[in-house]
Amino acid sequence: MTALTIENLEKTYAGGFQALKGISLEVAPGDFFALLGPNGAGKSTTIGILCSLVRKTAGQVNVFGIDIDQDFSAAKREIGVVPQEFNFNQFENVLDIVVNQAGYYGLSRAVAHQRAEKYLTKLGLWDKRNQPSRNLSGGMKRRLMIARALVHEPRLLILDEPTAGVDIELRRSMWEFLREINAAGTTIILTTHYLEEAESLCRNIAIINHGEIVQKTSVKALLKQLNKEVFIIDTRAPLAAAPQASGYVVRQLDEHTLEVEVERGQSLNDVFKALEAQKIEVVSMRNKANRLEEMFVSLIKQQEG
Amino acid sequence: MHISAQWISFSTIVRKEIRRFMRIWVQTLLPPAITMALYFVIFGALIGARIGDMGGFSYMEFVVPGLIMMSVLTNSYSNVVSSFYSAKFQHSIEELLVSPTPNYVILAGYIVGGVCRGLAVGLIVTLMSLFFTDLQVHSLSVTVSIVVLTSVLFSLMGLINAVFANSFDDISIIPTFVLTPLTYLGGVFYSIDLLPEFWQGVSQLNPILYVVNTFRYGILGVSDVNIVTAFLGVLAFIVILFAASLWLLNNGKRLRS
């Protein structure tokens, strides 16, 4: 049984815009799955259908074997959703928001309070429990939505751009938290604009564009398709010109910085050997751009081209 | 969703609604108390003394049931319309829509929330009226049942208004241009016996006339309308509006894409 099966899912909005053109995908239980795509690709429409805020035009959706057309109520119990926009009452306090959400899933007040304390503590919001939610910072509001989505302990957690507008430190701590709950067995589907996030967290990936799935594979397999990577190399001594390295394209960015293109099958060792032969000492090295980002852009270009 | 889980969800919505209007009591409970106290002083005590008897009762005795009912129905309406529209505006209604809570439970929760506010304000206004007149309840069962049914009816109207509203302006249009005129012309301040025959006939089309007079019958034992007709009318409207509200929620009208 899969955590999620989507078959030929279509959505045409009232104005005639076709947001989804028959997408199909499967997410295995326990997976950490990324749904990537540019703005307007159909990611949020897909998530909206899964959580009943958008009505599908055609197709089938099964959540842990439950067909949403047969028993959406049972399917909803398996799903927790963290939307892109803040969608809680700005005047309610933090604890009430989480406890009430548990109530909407039929959990008793005692259990709701227990769970609210557990998740608000884990997400660093327990101290803020009596604060009106409007007083929280942007990052805290996002964590509040995660606590709210987890309070009924769903088997499938869907996060729509969970770290948008969140500072780096907080983003890293949210990643840790998501890895932790995924390791504990919760299947996670994530949409994000930060491709580094998908590369760091997710095992499998689907790229969606213009309402169609462009690519469905594992993150590792996708990265293997990369033909070329660009590295930035910092040198200790200033350089008068770009050094030569046979078979490699080396460009000088400034007197201490080089850019080297390494194609699939080539070895970075050869670059270092060539630099060492020219008495150039390397102090650090990094990827020029996120690898997945390059792949993503190339796939989207291929589809549009 | 199991029935016990539905009950928990329902009580969660009701508790949330009660906490909401209690949290902002300066906006929800205090204004009707002040407004009605002014009505009691001006219409009942100052002007009423010059008007004399109406329907066999002092003007103060006559006007008090109408004013209580007026505050109950306007507050039931405004509680649901403002709370539901605000949830729609802030998208917090999605908390309920994504949950397994059935639509009829959502509807019942908001309606009972509106009824609680209507009854709370009704009780406050009734207690205030005791400073101005002695209330002798003619029929407790008629009094209580009509006030609860009226509160349900106007809560349903508030919910339908909220579903269709696109802005905060839209939630004040019906109260200002429909509810207030109908209330003022609905026998709160006068007996329709005072009107020419034609206008008496026109007044019979005003649903508020029936609920005000039935409530007045419960308190004073007099009414301009047949109270059995009034009860049947209110019940029929409740059934129709409940079905319409449920259809709107099931259909996802203006709530889902």
Side-chain angles (χ1 to χ4, degrees):
Chain A
M1 183 178 57
T2 59
L4 176 69
T5 305
I6 293 176
E7 284 173 17
N8 304 316
L9 190 62
E10 289 179 28
K11 173 65 188 177
T12 306
Y13 284 100
F17 172 67
Q18 195 178 10
L20 295 176
K21 299 169 183 168
I23 66 164
S24 298
L25 57 90
E26 284 188 357
V27 178
D31 200 357
F32 208 135
F33 189 93
L35 188 59
L36 301 183
N39 287 334
K43 304 186 298 288
S44 293
T45 298
T46 308
I47 289 176
I49 290 170
L50 298 180
C51 64
S52 86
L53 294 175
V54 177
R55 291 174 186 277
K56 63 187 170 69
T57 308
Q60 271 202 315
V61 177
N62 279 268
V63 181
F64 288 102
I66 305 161
D67 184 339
I68 64 166
D69 292 328
Q70 302 296 319
D71 192 353
F72 213 156
S73 177
K76 283 173 171 181
R77 276 197 296 274
E78 306 290 354
I79 303 174
V81 187
V82 182
Q84 204 176 122
E85 306 291 337
F86 301 131
N87 69 342
F88 45 77
N89 187 329
Q90 302 282 324
F91 300 98
E92 273 179 20
N93 72 35
V94 169
L95 184 62
D96 284 345
I97 287 170
V98 181
V99 168
N100 285 345
Q101 189 69 16
Y104 303 150
Y105 283 82
L107 300 178
S108 70
R109 295 294 278 184
V111 174
H113 273 278
Q114 228 171 40
R115 298 255 185 100
E117 182 173 354
K118 175 179 163 186
Y119 289 107
L120 287 174
T121 304
K122 278 189 175 186
L123 285 153
L125 290 172
W126 184 243
D127 291 347
K128 306 280 181 191
R129 64 189 178 279
N130 295 319
Q131 296 257 330
S133 58
R134 66 178 181 279
N135 291 354
L136 300 182
S137 67
M140 286 176 180
K141 284 177 178 169
R142 225 158 262 288
R143 281 182 282 157
L144 169 59
M145 293 204 296
I146 296 177
R148 186 185 62 179
L150 287 170
V151 75
H152 64 285
E153 301 197 330
R155 287 198 282 170
L156 173 61
L157 180 67
I158 301 169
L159 303 112
D160 196 0
E161 312 258 354
T163 53
V166 170
D167 67 50
I168 294 167
E169 192 185 345
L170 189 56
R171 192 184 307 162
R172 300 273 167 181
S173 75
M174 279 171 70
W175 288 4
E176 275 316 301
F177 178 74
L178 293 176
R179 280 195 192 101
E180 197 183 304
I181 59 168
N182 177 246
T186 306
T187 308
I188 297 180
I189 298 175
L190 179 90
T191 77
T192 179
H193 272 141
Y194 300 112
L195 297 171
E196 178 201 1
E197 188 162 271
E199 188 175 345
S200 166
L201 291 173
C202 301
R203 287 186 283 280
N204 291 296
I205 196 166
I207 294 178
I208 184 169
N209 194 28
H210 297 311
E212 291 172 303
I213 299 285
V214 180
Q215 182 77 262
K216 256 185 307 191
T217 182
S218 71
V219 172
K220 275 185 188 168
L222 190 66
L223 291 174
K224 275 187 189 165
Q225 293 177 28
L226 274 174
N227 288 321
K228 182 176 69 180
E229 283 191 71
V230 180
F231 294 92
I232 303 291
I233 290 174
D234 299 311
T235 61
R236 187 169 298 284
L239 302 171
Q244 297 296 309
S246 174
Y248 296 86
V249 177
V250 182
R251 285 182 291 269
Q252 186 175 17
L253 300 181
D254 60 46
E255 59 180 11
H256 282 282
T257 315
L258 300 172
E259 185 180 272
V260 183
E261 287 182 11
V262 180
E263 289 183 7
R264 202 189 321 171
Q266 289 185 315
S267 167
L268 265 173
N269 281 356
D270 295 336
V271 177
F272 285 117
K273 278 177 197 160
L275 293 176
E276 204 175 349
Q278 294 167 68
K279 310 272 187 233
I280 297 171
E281 189 184 349
V282 174
V283 289
S284 66
M285 186 191 76
R286 61 194 179 277
N287 271 94
K288 183 186 179 187
N290 178 277
R291 296 176 302 159
L292 194 60
E293 193 165 301
E294 286 177 27
M295 194 70 221
F296 175 78
V297 171
S298 100
L299 281 167
I300 297 295
K301 272 188 183 162
Q302 269 173 36
Q303 200 213 10
E304 289 175 356
Chain B
M1 195 182 198
H2 192 269
I3 194 78
S4 60
Q6 288 186 26
W7 172 254
I8 290 172
S9 185
F10 166 76
S11 52
T12 302
I13 300 168
V14 174
R15 188 182 293 110
K16 178 176 72 85
E17 286 301 289
I18 293 173
R19 286 189 69 160
R20 189 193 77 90
F21 75 72
M22 294 296 281
R23 186 174 63 229
I24 50 170
W25 62 274
V26 177
Q27 295 169 47
T28 54
L29 303 180
L30 191 59
I34 292 172
T35 309
M36 288 304 147
L38 291 170
Y39 274 122
F40 291 143
V41 170
I42 296 164
F43 289 99
L46 298 178
I47 300 175
R50 292 170 181 252
I51 292 173
D53 285 0
M54 188 160 296
F57 294 90
S58 73
Y59 189 65
M60 178 65 93
E61 287 172 316
F62 181 87
V63 85
V64 161
L67 290 173
I68 293 171
M69 204 47 151
M70 186 166 107
S71 50
V72 168
L73 64 89
T74 51
N75 278 278
S76 300
Y77 188 96
S78 55
N79 192 72
V80 180
V81 75
S82 58
S83 176
F84 198 86
Y85 179 70
S86 170
K88 210 175 90 166
F89 180 77
Q90 295 186 74
H91 296 281
S92 60
I93 194 67
E94 291 172 6
E95 292 177 337
L96 274 163
L97 299 179
V98 303
S99 80
T101 302
N103 287 331
Y104 60 82
V105 173
I106 297 175
L107 181 57
Y110 272 93
I111 298 313
V112 172
V115 170
C116 289
R117 162 127 166 236
L119 297 184
V121 169
L123 182 67
I124 291 168
V125 174
T126 304
L127 292 173
M128 294 206 56
S129 73
L130 296 177
F131 289 104
F132 300 91
T133 185
D134 287 329
L135 277 182
Q136 303 293 328
V137 178
H138 173 74
S139 168
L140 188 63
S141 56
V142 170
T143 307
V144 172
S145 52
I146 196 63
V147 84
V148 171
L149 289 175
T150 303
S151 198
V152 170
L153 179 62
F154 282 85
S155 296
L156 284 164
M157 289 181 189
L159 189 124
I160 292 171
N161 187 172
V163 169
F164 282 101
N166 288 322
S167 69
F168 280 100
D169 289 341
D170 292 346
I171 67 172
S172 64
I173 287 173
I174 301 286
T176 307
F177 296 106
V178 181
L179 221 52
T180 305
L182 286 180
T183 308
Y184 278 75
L185 299 170
V188 171
F189 298 101
Y190 57 86
S191 165
I192 60 165
D193 288 346
L194 298 177
L195 301 174
E197 204 170 321
F198 173 77
W199 290 109
Q200 281 188 31
V202 172
S203 293
Q204 304 273 353
L205 301 172
N206 181 354
I208 293 179
L209 179 79
Y210 294 86
V211 295
V212 165
N213 271 280
T214 305
F215 187 68
R216 184 172 286 132
Y217 176 85
I219 303 277
L220 301 177
V222 295
S223 169
D224 289 341
V225 299
N226 181 321
I227 64 159
V228 176
T229 310
F231 269 110
L232 291 174
V234 170
L235 282 169
F237 270 110
I238 287 174
V239 171
I240 293 166
L241 294 188
F242 190 89
S245 305
L246 196 55
W247 181 82
L248 285 170
L249 293 183
N250 287 339
N251 181 260
K253 187 88 179 161
R254 291 162 190 269
L255 297 171
R256 302 177 203 261
S257 306

